[in-house]
Amino acid sequence: METNIVSSSTTTLLAAQTTRSKAAAVLRVTSGNFLEQFDFFLFGFYATYISKVFFPTGSEFASLMLTFAVFGAGFLMRPLGAIVLGAYIDEVGRRKGLIVTLSLMASGTILIACVPGYETIGLLAPALVLIGRLLQGFSAGAELGGVSVYLSEMATPGRKGFYTSWQSASQQVAIIVAALLGYALNAWMPTDTLHAWGWRIPFFIGCLIVPFLFLLRRSLQETEAFAARKHHPSAREVFRSMLANWTTVIAGMLLTAMTTTTFYLITVYTPTFGKTVLKLSTADSLIVTLCVGIGNFVWLPIGGAVSDRIGRKPLLLLITVLAILTAYPALSWLAAAPSFGRMFIVLMWFSFFFGAYNGAMVAALTEVMPVEVRVAGFSLAFSLATALFGGFTPAVSTFLIQSLHDKAAPGYWLSFAAVCGLIATLILYRKGGAAQRLQDAA
């Protein structure tokens, strides 16, 4: 009897230790995600200030378009980073590769934070900001893939959706922190000071946390799945395998289009949309953005856990259909009578789209990629979607509103991305498809 009690206690203790160990690993591996998205969000949050400091043209529309173009240029570097750094991570291991991506991300952050304005150094100012964004984009190309694959490989059986959802959940913490900082600065600092240099404060804070993030990531352990593999492909082998699986990569890109478009619409673009299009106060826009970050954080693990229970396909299909049917009508309702309350309701509805869909999508994307090129394949698919859809969402939304004279026009863009996600889901989960075979095996 005593032996059974001791045995039971030991088992419980070991289970608790394993849970704590996995939770610590999740924190370490997602820490770099926090920095990456923190900086990306800041660039979008302070787009109106950045446009006047680095891209003064005399036209608010032109300055914003230039700023969002530079913001989007960082996303064009993601596919290159996905191929080069993704192949590197597949060859040398998840731990070493993720330290490299964090180093590059930190370099871009420090550069953007410290560059003087156009009035001080002329054309060199926007050029250096562009270089900083390109460094961030190159790093981010493999960061998301590396983190997602690491979480997938360390997940307990049957819980991949829940574990991989924390990759995106860490980004929501970055949104919350950035929005809180923005709200505090807007409340405590005079507008002229905020325009002149106050907007740089959050970027400097991002620089200050870099050493702490390095300490966290250096303590990462390599995943057992990678360590157990006898053959680690060279970069050339990774490239060859990706070419052989190009249809899966393209389908993965379309699957991710819904996620990236929704994400950048409800986070990075929200402060600009609320202030310049809906004519709401900066404080209102930042509070809504903060609530969106909290909503995303709640829905992501729920979406992942639900997809573990019912399968990825049903959840992906449900959310894409809902987005197609309601994206434009919801934004039309908001634009008809802009208010804090309406903006909150619409963006929280979109937050549900993002969290539930992405919770299932990330796990699905790690599952469909061949194991030998899992990081490179995931990263390339995600990066292409971000470059072609998500990253340019602020610029596309601004252009559509200006061209169509319709404040709800971003709804067309979101609906199009949802159609892409619907088609990709049907392709990947068709009978005999890679994703369907995985689901059937589970």
Side-chain angles (χ1 to χ4, degrees):
M1 185 72 171
E2 289 184 3
T3 302
N4 290 337
I5 294 174
V6 171
S7 176
S8 177
S9 299
T10 302
T11 302
T12 303
L13 180 60
L14 288 174
Q17 290 175 340
T18 300
T19 300
R20 286 195 296 270
S21 176
K22 285 186 177 291
V26 169
L27 174 63
R28 293 188 187 101
V29 74
T30 58
S31 61
N33 264 177
F34 173 89
L35 177 65
E36 174 207 336
Q37 296 304 325
F38 182 74
D39 294 326
F40 274 34
F41 301 147
L42 289 180
F43 202 96
F45 285 169
Y46 296 105
T48 53
Y49 304 116
I50 292 172
S51 65
K52 294 176 182 178
V53 173
F54 297 110
F55 306 98
T57 64
S59 165
E60 183 181 31
F61 171 71
S63 294
L64 269 179
M65 284 301 293
L66 284 171
T67 303
F68 284 137
V70 171
F71 179 75
F75 293 96
L76 294 178
M77 285 294 288
R78 284 192 172 210
L80 180 61
I83 295 172
V84 176
L85 293 177
Y88 175 75
I89 295 173
D90 277 323
E91 181 178 1
V92 306
R94 317 314 187 202
R95 177 184 176 276
K96 290 181 180 178
L98 289 173
I99 291 175
V100 171
T101 60
L102 180 59
S103 302
L104 291 171
M105 178 60 62
S107 300
T109 299
I110 294 170
L111 183 58
I112 292 175
C114 299
V115 173
Y118 181 88
E119 291 185 356
T120 304
I121 59 175
L123 291 175
L124 188 59
L128 290 175
V129 170
L130 176 61
I131 291 172
R133 285 290 299 132
L134 294 179
L135 278 174
Q136 288 182 329
F138 185 74
S139 164
E143 171 75 17
L144 289 178
V147 170
S148 298
V149 169
Y150 188 99
L151 292 171
S152 175
E153 291 181 347
M154 66 166 280
T156 53
R159 302 195 71 191
K160 280 189 178 182
F162 178 75
Y163 271 84
T164 56
S165 68
W166 291 104
Q167 175 261 108
S168 293
S170 67
Q171 299 172 7
Q172 312 317 309
V173 178
I175 297 175
I176 294 168
V177 173
L180 284 172
L181 282 172
Y183 182 82
L185 289 175
N186 185 70
W188 299 336
M189 190 170 284
T191 303
D192 292 342
T193 305
L194 193 58
H195 276 273
W197 57 268
W199 62 269
R200 293 182 186 267
I201 293 176
F203 284 93
F204 285 122
I205 292 174
C207 295
L208 292 175
I209 66 175
V210 166
F212 174 69
L213 298 181
F214 267 110
L215 288 175
L216 282 177
R217 188 157 281 188
R218 282 177 62 86
S219 62
L220 270 179
Q221 298 296 315
E222 188 56 77
T223 65
E224 293 181 7
F226 181 85
R229 284 165 51 192
K230 295 180 180 179
H231 175 66
H232 297 151
S234 65
R236 180 174 296 182
E237 290 175 308
V238 172
F239 298 150
R240 189 182 301 120
S241 182
M242 279 200 297
L243 285 174
N245 293 278
W246 68 270
T247 54
T248 302
V249 172
I250 296 301
M253 176 196 75
L254 295 176
L255 187 72
T256 312
M258 168 72 177
T259 281
T260 58
T261 301
T262 309
F263 184 65
Y264 287 99
L265 180 67
I266 65 177
T267 56
V268 173
Y269 184 58
T270 292
T272 301
F273 181 66
K275 182 179 179 181
T276 63
V277 178
L278 302 180
K279 306 303 180 183
L280 299 176
S281 70
T282 301
D284 284 348
S285 298
L286 287 172
I287 290 173
V288 171
T289 305
L290 171 64
C291 294
V292 164
I294 296 172
N296 291 348
F297 186 84
V298 171
W299 283 115
L300 279 162
I302 292 176
V306 170
S307 74
D308 286 333
R309 180 64 62 87
I310 69 172
R312 320 290 182 215
K313 181 181 178 181
L315 191 56
L316 295 174
L317 291 177
L318 172 64
I319 299 303
T320 50
V321 170
L322 283 175
I324 292 169
L325 295 176
T326 66
Y328 182 78
L331 282 176
S332 294
W333 178 71
L334 170 59
S339 67
F340 172 82
R342 288 197 175 199
M343 187 177 185
F344 175 82
I345 292 171
V346 170
L347 290 189
M348 291 305 288
W349 176 236
F350 291 170
S351 171
F352 164 69
F353 287 170
F354 168 74
Y357 183 89
N358 196 71
M361 188 281 300
V362 173
L365 196 56
T366 63
E367 291 167 347
V368 301
M369 292 300 167
V371 64
E372 67 274 10
V373 292
R374 185 169 284 161
V375 174
F378 181 105
S379 299
L380 183 58
F382 208 106
S383 297
L384 286 171
T386 306
L388 299 177
F389 292 89
F392 282 99
T393 289
V396 170
S397 297
T398 302
F399 175 77
L400 288 175
I401 292 170
Q402 183 78 8
S403 301
L404 301 177
H405 305 289
D406 182 357
K407 296 178 181 179
Y412 293 128
W413 183 238
L414 179 55
S415 296
F416 174 67
V419 170
C420 292
L422 177 64
I423 292 172
T425 301
L426 294 174
I427 291 173
L428 288 170
Y429 286 92
R430 70 189 185 280
K431 188 171 182 179
Q436 186 63 55
R437 290 195 300 271
L438 279 165
Q439 181 168 286
D440 292 343

